[in-house]
Amino acid sequence: MNIYDIIEKKKNSLELTKEEIDFVVEGYTKNIIPDYQMSALLMAICIRGLNIDETYNLTNAMLHSGDTIDLSKIDGIKVDKHSTGGVGDTTSLVLGPLVAACGVPFAKMSGRGLGHTGGTLDKLESIPGMNINLSIDEFIKNTNGIKMAITGQTGDVTPADKKIYALRDTTATVNNPSLISSSIMSKKIAVGADALILDVKVGSGAFMKDVESAEELSKMMVELGHKFGRRTVALITNMDEPLGFAVGNSLEVIEAIDTLKGEGPEDLTELCLVLGSKLLVLGKIASSEKEARELLEEKIKNKEALNKFKEFVKLQGGDTSYVDDTSKFKLSSIKEEVYSLEEGYVQKIDALGIGEASKDLGAGRETKDSILDLGAGIILNKKIDDFVKKGDLLATIYTEKESEIEKVKKMIQNSYIIGEKNEEPYKLIIEEID
Ligand code: URA
Ligand code: CA
């Protein structure tokens, strides 16, 4: 077998065998196949596509390129949630304690933010003392104890994906449904939860810019999940505006805590209740989504979800007084207001533009090594369908970077698309695939 022939085959739209795919993944991971040949193959895959069998074989090869984590020592049906990357999306920090308070073990390995999207680990680090590098034993022990743990990746999980993803990032080969599905699902299967809910974002701030491609991606990931014996459900959700009002690390943790107190934004609350209801059914705690939702609402009202979050923070070394009093979070020292230059209804808020603006304020990473300002970010004051007059407050920004302020104000003003009232009401949850 040789890589040249495999590239030639895919160039001619032929199906690759399991042996060929194993050969490529192993060869590339072990530095036997060079970047230039792997790049050529990835480009051929982007143009010609992979069918579901090839995608399954690719997922399987990446899954077995490194450690897999056995969560069988955790009692009950373990659940996990994955979002394909949004702006202002602090769902995990609300969803985790909500379902854990209902008795569903929430075992999640999260990532850091890159580019315009945020990451759960960075957000958690804005709580002083928080340890986000649990060992596998601690991860299992905590999930058994309080039904919830969130950590960075432990062990050497899917090294093939790490290497291939880095190459795709620099060769314009990220945006293919088979490559995205196999990348996400290999990691999720390696980490071992029994049931998985996928939040597939669609819109300007997301990988998938239209509903059709989001559907294709969702179907593929759900089918892969099933082939690996994991209950998997995907929701396609809207990113035509950022989720909630807060974008930025400390700001989003405060927003998550407010939501657990029952005082959060409507869209974030709704998404958490819908995702949570599905997890409760998948986890066999409730027999219907209606019953599940009532249970979740009760956990917010009686503060059990909030207390679960405190328990989680405490167990992972964080200072719980920040949860009791969110005014303790240290925000960046410069606070500036951004005003509307137009009058009309907000039709859309370009999530990519807001994500980039927040990154430039210091809340996000330019490269893997950038140092974050956890107190930086944006609080939106207007959302889709709100009416604004010239000079009305659109958003408040927090930063330490004086030199960025004027540019970022323009970025935010440009991200707000203002005009006639939208004919259709904004639909947060577009479709369910299971
Ligand atoms: N997230 C991943 O982990 N992989 C992709 O390919 C795209 C998004
Ligand atoms: Ca938010």
Side-chain angles (χ1 to χ4, degrees):
M1 210 176 289
N2 76 73
I3 179 72
Y4 183 96
D5 292 342
I6 295 173
I7 298 169
E8 184 72 25
K9 228 177 136 179
K10 190 38 74 184
K11 188 180 79 183
N12 293 321
S13 289
L14 297 173
E15 181 174 344
L16 303 181
T17 64
K18 177 179 189 314
E19 290 69 32
E20 286 165 335
I21 290 170
D22 287 345
F23 173 83
V24 167
V25 171
E26 190 183 340
Y28 186 61
T29 311
K30 291 187 173 159
N31 299 317
I32 298 164
I33 295 173
D35 284 349
Y36 57 86
Q37 286 181 313
M38 191 65 184
S39 310
L41 178 62
L42 288 168
M43 188 54 82
I45 289 174
C46 278
I47 292 167
R48 298 303 195 184
L50 294 179
N51 66 25
I52 185 72
D53 293 332
E54 293 171 294
T55 309
Y56 173 83
N57 288 330
L58 177 60
T59 309
N60 200 38
M62 294 207 290
L63 161 67
H64 290 112
S65 67
D67 297 339
T68 55
I69 295 172
D70 178 11
L71 297 184
S72 62
K73 281 185 239 149
I74 300 175
D75 310 323
I77 300 171
K78 281 76 66 182
V79 302
D80 192 359
K81 169 250 170 191
H82 182 81
S83 152
T84 59
V87 175
D89 181 1
T90 189
T91 309
S92 293
L93 295 185
V94 181
L95 185 65
L98 254 181
V99 302
C102 297
V104 177
F106 187 81
K108 182 161 171 55
M109 285 195 192
S110 284
R112 295 199 179 270
L114 187 64
H116 72 280
T117 63
T120 300
L121 297 183
D122 298 324
K123 291 172 201 176
L124 282 176
E125 277 186 337
S126 55
I127 303 172
M130 204 67 193
N131 171 18
I132 41 111
N133 291 306
L134 302 180
S135 67
I136 293 177
D137 285 346
E138 284 171 314
F139 185 62
I140 291 174
K141 193 171 124 242
N142 292 5
T143 314
N144 262 332
I146 64 161
K147 303 283 177 211
M148 176 174 176
I150 301 179
T151 183
Q153 253 178 26
T154 67
D156 189 20
V157 173
T158 59
D161 174 63
K162 270 193 206 101
K163 205 161 174 242
I164 295 170
Y165 191 77
L167 185 64
R168 287 166 58 211
D169 215 16
T170 56
T171 55
T173 53
V174 169
N175 233 344
N176 169 273
S178 289
L179 295 179
I180 296 177
S181 303
S182 56
S183 166
I184 291 175
M185 294 305 285
S186 62
K187 282 176 281 205
K188 290 288 143 187
I189 307 289
V191 167
D194 306 303
L196 175 62
I197 194 153
L198 299 160
D199 180 2
V200 178
K201 305 285 188 192
V202 60
S204 76
F207 278 115
M208 297 294 142
K209 310 292 179 205
D210 58 73
V211 175
E212 220 180 24
S213 44
E215 276 173 355
E216 189 187 358
L217 178 66
S218 304
K219 284 181 183 152
M220 204 163 235
M221 290 198 289
V222 168
E223 192 167 347
L224 287 174
H226 292 164
K227 278 181 185 290
F228 284 99
R230 311 298 165 97
R231 286 172 233 192
T232 310
V233 175
L235 279 190
I236 298 176
T237 70
N238 207 335
M239 258 292 140
D240 270 348
E241 65 178 358
L243 197 61
F245 296 104
V247 181
N249 296 288
S250 298
L251 293 170
E252 287 185 47
V253 174
I254 297 170
E255 185 164 74
I257 294 168
D258 288 343
T259 305
L260 287 166
K261 288 176 179 164
E263 296 157 5
E266 215 176 293
D267 56 350
L268 175 63
T269 305
E270 177 63 21
L271 183 59
C272 292
L273 289 172
V274 171
L275 292 170
S277 302
K278 293 187 184 301
L279 286 180
L280 257 51
V281 173
L282 286 169
K284 296 199 190 299
I285 294 288
S287 55
S288 70
E289 283 178 31
K290 183 171 172 289
E291 182 193 328
R293 190 181 172 110
E294 283 165 12
L295 197 58
L296 294 167
E297 283 170 342
E298 184 58 30
K299 298 296 177 191
I300 293 178
K301 258 196 222 103
N302 67 16
K303 303 278 180 260
E304 281 182 36
L306 179 67
N307 288 333
K308 182 58 71 181
F309 184 71
K310 270 170 74 174
E311 245 184 304
F312 153 73
V313 168
K314 188 168 178 206
L315 194 58
Q316 293 194 200
D319 183 345
T320 56
S321 70
Y322 281 66
V323 184
D324 293 323
D325 177 8
T326 53
S327 71
K328 288 185 82 168
F329 282 93
K330 198 172 159 294
L331 302 180
S332 309
S333 60
I334 307 173
K335 182 179 172 188
E336 284 268 342
E337 298 189 328
V338 185
Y339 302 106
S340 179
L341 304 173
E342 295 164 272
E343 174 168 316
Y345 288 90
V346 177
Q347 295 175 331
K348 185 181 150 133
I349 308 170
D350 180 31
L352 179 60
I354 298 293
E356 294 281 353
S358 172
K359 182 188 77 186
D360 291 351
L361 293 171
R365 282 190 184 76
E366 218 51 82
T367 71
K368 277 202 198 74
D369 306 317
S370 307
I371 294 176
L372 295 188
D373 172 6
L374 296 171
I378 303 169
I379 296 285
L380 303 175
N381 188 56
K382 298 286 182 187
K383 298 263 295 189
I384 287 182
D385 290 340
D386 286 345
F387 183 75
V388 292
K389 292 209 280 280
K390 243 187 201 173
D392 276 357
L393 180 68
L394 286 181
T396 307
I397 61 179
Y398 294 85
T399 190
E400 301 294 349
K401 296 184 180 177
E402 183 120 41
S403 59
E404 295 289 313
I405 293 173
E406 285 315 309
K407 181 194 78 184
V408 163
K409 282 185 177 176
K410 287 201 187 74
M411 287 167 81
I412 294 173
Q413 285 161 337
N414 290 336
S415 298
Y416 272 86
I417 313 299
I418 292 170
E420 299 288 309
K421 197 171 193 322
N422 288 337
E423 281 176 15
E424 301 279 324
Y426 185 67
K427 207 168 160 197
L428 176 63
I429 293 160
I430 298 173
E431 200 182 329
E432 179 182 340
I433 312 258
D434 66 5

